[in-house]
């Protein structure tokens, strides 16, 4: 049994002193938005506490990016939409990818969510990856980027932060209404051809939105002496549908289905730098379906309850052929994730808000590899990149509370997570790991006036070892990896100070942070070993690091139609 117990003592004492039932007032605060002077931006965010909160009053570095900004700036993909967000750097090795770095961390150390459901799964790998690009940017209402936090609210992987994508919001109406959009785009630099259409409908007891996106990207055209970067283009076809059904004045049901299909996605740097004739992902698919029941209560301390059941499937095929070779290697990984969460909002109608719940996920990994000799038209099966049939199951309980006083507010939360990871490999047999983690956060906000505040926060985070850590066998980037079935969780401790200002023309914030990282899972060179011409590496828990920095973001409105911004 591997355990991580890294909850600050002050957080434990604070949580143990909370009265039962838990008290809240957040909805009262939101209902008072209309009373705030119009010159103050009353932006509402969800990710920081798993419920709607005024961004100004949130003791976190959080940025919301709406669909209007994405369209105005002509962002091509979901990763590119984050390019102008302070504290975020997007690395793109290939045209069909894009990996966001939050405060220096990326890959499986940054959590990706869609409508509160984990996109990060049991094979999310270390370092840059392409998974954020499997979200159709035209299917989104907004992004929320939570820097330096998220493990208490959403679990493993949020050591650098959390990126959450939200699908289009739906509202019912007293009268039947229909609407729609049609977007086409042609771009010469990447030879892009995009068509997106969407239809919306609302009535008294129901609303829905359905969209389809077809895209064809040619090879990128570089500037000056770079020339055409071939191969880099690919094709994509996406569709999504979302429906909201009003069951009663106090309850509603939301149903969502998303499907993203990308084909012939080249990994350009492999062809350019590692002597590959073919190196591509074909296909790269993701589908998500979920049902969410929301029930309101207008009496008692329990104000609402939400239940979500989800299914997500990520499929990645790879084809690799070296120059001068007749051996085509075909790999296929399929990860199916079932999820369920139940959470409640509680309130005393005065000065407490809270969100408490349970969450469970179960991932099943199927992985295969085939070697085909093109000269003899023969083929043979081999062990896939991951042990076939591996499973990862997580069970967690969490609670997040906010106490609002006259000039101060306190936010505190905790999460306990338990994992069962089962891996069966020919070399070592069947392995079963049961890591667990306990993490917490604590923040104190001083309200200076209705336009500004100061805060200090303490966040602990963790990342449980996943199947990519434990069972990878094969070529990854510029190395050959072998499995290690004895790994512990990574964890972090981040201290942050921040100032937020929201004025009539000027708005901005500044953050100072330090993130201590412990027990990091890192690749270690196996001296003297090489396979297929690549050095051999294995993952071990022997890394420690810190990341510290300062971030600031300001905007000034000269007149309503002109805005100056800088980060």
């Amino acid at each position: 049994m591997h355990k991580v117990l890294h909850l600050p003592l002050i957080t434990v004492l604070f949580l143990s002193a909370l009265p039962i039932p838990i008290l809240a007032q957040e909805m009262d605060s939101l209902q008072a938005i209309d009373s705030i002077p119009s010159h103050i931006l009353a932006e509402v965010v969800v990710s920081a506490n798993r419920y709607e909160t005024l961004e100004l009053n949130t003791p976190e570095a959080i940025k919301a990016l709406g669909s209007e900004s994405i369209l105005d700036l002509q962002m091509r993909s979901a990763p590119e939409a984050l390019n102008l967000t302070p504290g975020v750097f997007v690395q793109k090795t290939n045209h069909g990818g894009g990996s966001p770095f939050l405060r220096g961390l990326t890959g499986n150390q940054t959590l990706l969510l869609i409508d509160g459901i984990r996109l990060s799964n049991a094979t999310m790998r270390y370092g840059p990856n392409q998974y954020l690009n499997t979200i159709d940017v035209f299917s989104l209402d907004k992004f929320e980027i939570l820097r330096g936090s998220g493990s208490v609210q959403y679990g493993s992987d949020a050591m650098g932060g959390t990126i959450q994508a939200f699908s289009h919001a739906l509202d019912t109406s007293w009268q039947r209404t229909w609407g729609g959009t049609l977007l086409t785009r042609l771009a010469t630099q990447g030879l892009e051809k995009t068509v997106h259409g969407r239809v919306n409908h609302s009535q008294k007891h129901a609303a829905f939105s359905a969209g389809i996106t077809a895209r064809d990207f040619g090879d990128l055209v570089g500037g000056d002496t770079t020339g055409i970067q071939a191969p880099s283009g690919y094709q994509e076809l996406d569709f999504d549908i979302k429906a909201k059904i009003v069951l009663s004045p106090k309850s509603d049901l939301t149903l969502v289905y998303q499907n993203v299909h990308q084909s012939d996605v080249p990994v350009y740097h492999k062809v350019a730098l590692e002597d590959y004739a073919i190196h591509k992902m074909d296909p790269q698919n993701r589908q998500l379906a979920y049902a969410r029941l929301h029930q309101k209560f207008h009496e008692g301390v329990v104000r609402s309850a939400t239940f979500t059941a989800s299914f997500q499937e990520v499929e990645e095929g790879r084809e690799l052929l070296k120059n001068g070779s007749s051996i085509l290697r075909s790999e296929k990984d399929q990860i199916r994730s079932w999820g369920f969460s139940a959470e409640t909002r509680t309130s005393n109608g005065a000065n407490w808000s809270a969100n408490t719940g349970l969450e469970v996920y179960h991932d099943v990994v199927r992985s295969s590899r085939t070697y085909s000799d093109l000269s003899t038209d023969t083929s043979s099966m081999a062990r896939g990149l991951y042990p076939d049939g591996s499973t990862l199951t997580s069970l967690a309980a969490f609670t997040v509370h906010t106490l609002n006083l006259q000039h101060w507010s306190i936010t505190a939360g905790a999460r306990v997570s338990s994992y069962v990871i089962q891996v069966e490999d020919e070399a070592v047999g069947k392995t079963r790991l049961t890591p667990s983690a306990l993490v917490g956060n604590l923040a104190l906000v001083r309200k200076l006036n209705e336009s500004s505040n100061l805060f200090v926060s303490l966040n602990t985070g963790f990342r449980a070892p996943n199947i990519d850590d434990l069972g990878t066998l094969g070529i990854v980037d510029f190395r050959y990896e072998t499995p290690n079935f004895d790994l512990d969780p990574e964890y972090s401790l981040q201290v942050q100070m921040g100032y937020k200002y929201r004025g009539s023309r000027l708005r901005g914030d500044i953050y100072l942070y330090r993130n201590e990282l412990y027990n990091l899972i890192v690749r270690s060179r196996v001296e003297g070993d090489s396979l297929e011409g690549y050095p051999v590496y294995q993952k071990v828990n022997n890394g420690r690091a810190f990341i510290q920095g300062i971030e600031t973001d300001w905007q000034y409105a000269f007149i309503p139609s002109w805005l100056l911004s800088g980060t």
Side-chain angles (χ1 to χ4, degrees):
M1 174 75 74
H2 306 290
K3 291 184 179 292
V4 176
L5 299 178
H6 198 67
L7 186 69
L9 178 60
I10 189 171
T11 305
V12 177
L13 295 175
F14 180 82
L15 291 173
S16 65
L18 288 175
I20 301 297
I22 303 165
L23 308 175
Q25 77 152 13
E26 193 61 40
M27 293 308 296
D28 296 335
S29 297
L30 290 175
Q31 292 168 359
I33 288 178
D34 291 339
S35 65
I36 296 176
S38 59
H39 65 275
I40 295 177
L41 179 62
E43 188 172 50
V44 175
V45 293
V46 175
S47 299
N49 293 324
R50 291 184 69 119
Y51 55 81
E52 293 182 332
T53 312
L54 289 177
E55 186 274 335
L56 176 62
N57 298 335
T58 302
E60 301 286 357
I62 185 169
K63 180 76 171 180
L65 181 67
S67 58
E68 298 86 356
S69 298
I70 296 172
L71 291 175
D72 288 346
L73 297 173
Q74 290 289 293
M75 296 303 184
R76 186 189 67 89
S77 64
E80 290 182 9
L82 305 180
N83 261 331
L84 300 181
T85 305
V88 180
F89 165 75
V90 178
Q91 188 253 23
K92 289 190 62 179
T93 305
N94 60 292
H95 200 31
S99 190
F101 284 73
L102 296 190
R103 292 185 170 175
L105 298 176
T106 192
N108 56 21
Q109 294 175 321
T110 295
L111 178 60
L112 305 180
L113 302 166
I114 304 174
D115 290 346
I117 298 166
R118 294 176 65 91
L119 173 59
S120 301
N121 59 33
T123 64
M124 184 70 74
R125 62 180 179 268
Y126 177 81
N129 58 59
Q130 76 280 11
Y131 299 112
L132 186 62
N133 196 46
T134 63
I135 299 176
D136 178 15
V137 71
F138 299 111
S139 70
L140 300 181
D141 188 53
K142 69 173 180 176
F143 274 110
E144 287 184 9
I145 301 95
L146 177 61
R147 308 193 296 278
S149 181
S151 275
V152 169
Q153 303 93 316
Y154 298 102
S156 178
D157 302 353
M159 298 175 67
T162 303
I163 295 174
Q164 181 160 196
F166 292 88
S167 58
H168 287 289
L170 297 178
D171 293 310
T172 56
S173 59
W174 288 103
Q175 295 181 338
R176 291 178 180 268
T177 61
W178 288 88
T181 58
L182 177 64
L183 179 147
T184 61
R185 187 163 70 195
L186 301 175
T188 58
Q189 194 69 5
L191 301 180
E192 175 191 350
K193 299 180 284 291
T194 292
V195 177
H196 169 75
R198 179 164 300 277
V199 60
N200 305 295
H201 174 67
S202 66
Q203 53 178 288
K204 184 177 180 181
H205 296 294
F208 80 87
S209 175
I212 184 169
T213 303
R215 321 194 73 179
D216 186 351
F217 298 100
D219 294 330
L220 282 171
V221 181
D224 195 22
T225 60
T226 301
I228 297 176
Q229 300 178 55
S232 56
Y234 65 98
Q235 295 79 44
E236 180 173 337
L237 179 63
D238 313 325
F239 63 90
D240 66 274
I241 185 168
K242 182 175 184 178
K244 179 179 179 179
I245 304 171
V246 178
L247 304 177
S248 75
K250 296 183 180 180
S251 64
D252 59 74
L253 177 66
T254 299
L255 303 172
V256 169
Y257 179 74
Q258 301 174 352
N259 189 297
V260 174
H261 174 80
Q262 299 168 347
S263 58
D264 293 316
V265 186
V267 184
Y268 172 72
H269 75 276
K270 291 284 187 178
V271 176
L273 302 177
E274 296 187 45
D275 197 32
Y276 277 94
I278 299 175
H279 200 304
K280 64 181 179 180
M281 293 174 289
D282 185 34
Q284 178 74 54
N285 297 333
R286 182 186 63 82
Q287 59 176 328
L288 168 66
Y290 74 81
R292 176 168 291 156
L293 176 65
H294 182 67
Q295 176 71 51
K296 298 178 182 179
F297 305 98
H298 295 306
E299 297 180 359
V301 295
V302 179
R303 296 304 175 92
S304 68
T306 304
F307 305 91
T308 304
S310 65
F311 170 76
Q312 187 163 222
E313 180 181 87
V314 175
E315 181 182 14
E316 179 180 330
R318 295 178 296 276
E319 292 188 4
L320 303 87
L321 177 66
K322 284 275 192 176
N323 284 312
S325 174
S326 64
I327 305 300
L328 175 68
R329 184 165 82 237
S330 301
E331 300 176 340
K332 182 179 180 180
D333 301 322
Q334 182 187 71
I335 302 90
R336 292 182 172 178
S337 304
W338 288 266
F340 177 78
S341 66
E343 54 190 287
T344 61
R345 287 291 318 285
T346 49
S347 170
N348 70 340
N351 58 353
W352 278 96
S353 61
N355 196 54
T356 303
L358 298 171
E359 201 170 62
V360 60
Y361 283 93
H362 179 69
D363 290 5
V364 178
V365 178
R366 310 300 303 188
S367 186
S368 62
R369 178 179 295 163
T370 302
Y371 290 97
S372 302
D373 191 331
L374 302 181
S375 63
T376 62
D377 198 26
T378 59
S379 61
S380 60
M381 300 292 294
R383 192 249 204 206
L385 182 61
Y386 308 112
D388 189 45
S390 303
T391 62
L392 186 152
T393 304
S394 65
L395 176 64
F398 61 88
T399 183
V400 180
H401 304 264
T402 300
L403 170 65
N404 289 301
L405 305 174
Q406 184 176 4
H407 297 293
W408 298 86
S409 71
I410 302 171
T411 298
R415 171 182 283 254
V416 58
S417 300
S418 180
Y419 294 80
V420 177
I421 307 171
Q422 298 192 94
V423 178
E424 188 168 358
D425 191 78
E426 295 177 358
V428 298
K430 192 171 184 177
T431 302
R432 187 174 187 268
L433 280 79
T434 56
S436 61
L438 175 63
V439 292
N441 60 16
L442 179 65
L444 182 66
V445 180
R446 168 61 177 174
K447 303 171 185 177
L448 303 178
N449 51 52
E450 64 176 7
S451 302
S452 62
N453 63 41
L454 286 165
F455 74 87
V456 60
S457 65
L458 183 68
N459 288 286
T460 57
F462 77 101
R463 189 182 75 82
N466 64 17
I467 292 170
D468 178 76
D469 296 312
L470 298 169
T472 300
L473 175 64
I475 298 171
V476 179
D477 293 329
F478 297 92
R479 61 188 67 82
Y480 195 102
E481 287 194 12
T482 59
N484 181 2
F485 297 107
D486 187 22
L487 294 173
D488 297 323
E490 303 176 318
Y491 51 96
S492 64
L493 171 63
Q494 181 164 262
V495 179
Q496 178 177 226
M497 297 179 63
Y499 169 77
K500 296 183 179 183
Y501 177 79
R502 304 291 182 266
S504 58
R505 294 184 179 273
L506 179 68
R507 60 166 293 174
D509 38 53
I510 184 168
Y511 307 103
L512 180 67
Y513 67 91
R514 180 180 175 96
N515 193 8
E516 295 278 354
L517 306 169
Y518 304 90
N519 213 38
L520 291 174
I521 298 172
V522 298
R523 294 181 174 112
S524 178
R525 173 74 186 273
V526 180
E527 294 297 332
D529 279 357
S530 65
L531 286 170
E532 300 183 26
Y534 290 88
V536 176
Y537 282 76
Q538 189 177 62
K539 291 173 182 171
V540 295
N541 285 102
N542 68 0
R544 180 167 179 172
F546 73 86
I547 302 172
Q548 63 185 22
I550 185 170
E551 300 166 350
T552 186
D553 174 28
W554 293 88
Q555 296 179 346
Y556 181 74
F558 294 99
I559 55 177
S561 57
W562 286 88
L563 182 72
L564 176 67
S565 63
T567 64

